[in-house]
Amino acid sequence: MPTMAEIVNSFSWSRSRDNTFQECRRKYYYHYYGSWGGWDATAGEEVRRLYVLKQLSSRQQWAGRVAHDAIEMAFHAFADGRDIPVEPFVADVIARMRGDWRSSKAGRYRDEPKTPALFEHEYAVDLKPEVWQALSKNVATCLRNFFRLPLLATIRKTASEHWSIEHWSKVFDFEGTAVWVAPDFGFWTDEGRLALVDWKTGAANGAAAAFQLGCYALYANEVLGVPPVKVDLYEANLREPRVTQLQWDDARLQQIKEQVRLSVRSMKAYLVDPEANVAVPADFEKTEDLRICRWCNFRAVCRPEL
Ligand code: SF4
């Protein structure tokens, strides 16, 4: 493990970073600056606290991640030529969710921040057992739908050595800024087109989803050298299930680039030293929209009165 002194908090851009920045500047500060170094248990008390809070997921985020991880596992099995018995597989995933839930409920994450940590437990949100049951039921539904998806049958007919299973969590240089983009899944179609897929397990959010897929198109263009006309983007809503195919073109790619540029510029404008990526909390205003605060990980530090 490198020590804290060896890791530099350097600026990089991602869509989730943009999201946090748009939501609340102070939240953005806590997440990307204030909690920096808190992985070290001997870090200052506030830094450590922010770091622990930063790891919290809402129950919906957690369920989404569980489903994504399960799908990734399924693809590994398919790539190895193994088949998957759906019901035992789903039962296994649900059992793992129960284990996660218990670990979080017991507060293990306070000492080991990388273990499951649910917002609802940290903030003692009183939820009926039915709410938790609905959550695991939704994961089960999404997974069953996944296995039945015509898109999956199409994918499985293509050569698995060209699949990209793990989040292609790749950082690339975009006009001098490190950009993180992670398509959920990618494959080459029989027609020689690049298909990038986004699995959705929650309610659809049109504008955000379009920006995300646009970033995939950017990734395809910048990293793989594939122009927008040769890319198919799929938004696979597993709850319904419904697969929407989007086509991208050069003009829309230009818009995405402009959106990313603008976002980077706005973030850097908040720094006291953009070169060294240094920020001071007082520059980052708290949102006035208390509805955002209600579900904010950092509420206990930022607005304990709520
Ligand atoms: S509690 Fe509210 S003001 Fe504070 S960081 Fe969170 S969203 Fe922003």
Side-chain angles (χ1 to χ4, degrees), residues 24 26-27 30 286-287 292-293 296 298-299 302-303:
C24 169
R26 182 59 64 92
K27 184 178 180 178
Y30 287 143
K286 298 182 180 186
T287 181
I292 295 178
C293 301
C296 170
F298 302 110
R299 197 177 77 200
C302 178
R303 287 197 154 135

Side-chain angles (χ1 to χ4, degrees), residues 247-258:
Q247 229 100 47
W248 226 258
D249 57 35
D250 288 331
R252 289 186 79 184
L253 185 63
Q254 289 310 323
Q255 284 170 10
I256 292 294
K257 284 187 182 175
E258 199 43 45

Side-chain angles (χ1 to χ4, degrees), residues 146-181:
F146 164 75
F147 286 109
R148 280 198 290 256
L149 220 54
L151 176 64
L152 177 61
T154 307
I155 292 170
R156 293 191 66 185
K157 279 195 218 111
T158 65
S160 63
E161 60 267 30
H162 300 310
W163 292 355
S164 189
I165 300 175
E166 268 101 341
H167 282 331
W168 286 0
S169 201
K170 294 249 169 67
V171 65
F172 62 92
D173 178 88
F174 175 68
E175 300 175 355
T177 299
V179 167
W180 291 93
V181 173

Side-chain angles (χ1 to χ4, degrees), residues 20 23-31 123 284-304 306:
T20 307
E23 263 192 335
C24 169
R25 303 292 197 253
R26 182 59 64 92
K27 184 178 180 178
Y28 171 85
Y29 170 81
Y30 287 143
H31 195 103
Y123 286 99
F284 293 79
E285 64 271 21
K286 298 182 180 186
T287 181
E288 317 240 301
D289 185 350
L290 298 183
R291 283 169 309 176
I292 295 178
C293 301
R294 261 200 72 192
W295 295 102
C296 170
N297 285 1
F298 302 110
R299 197 177 77 200
V301 170
C302 178
R303 287 197 154 135
L306 297 177

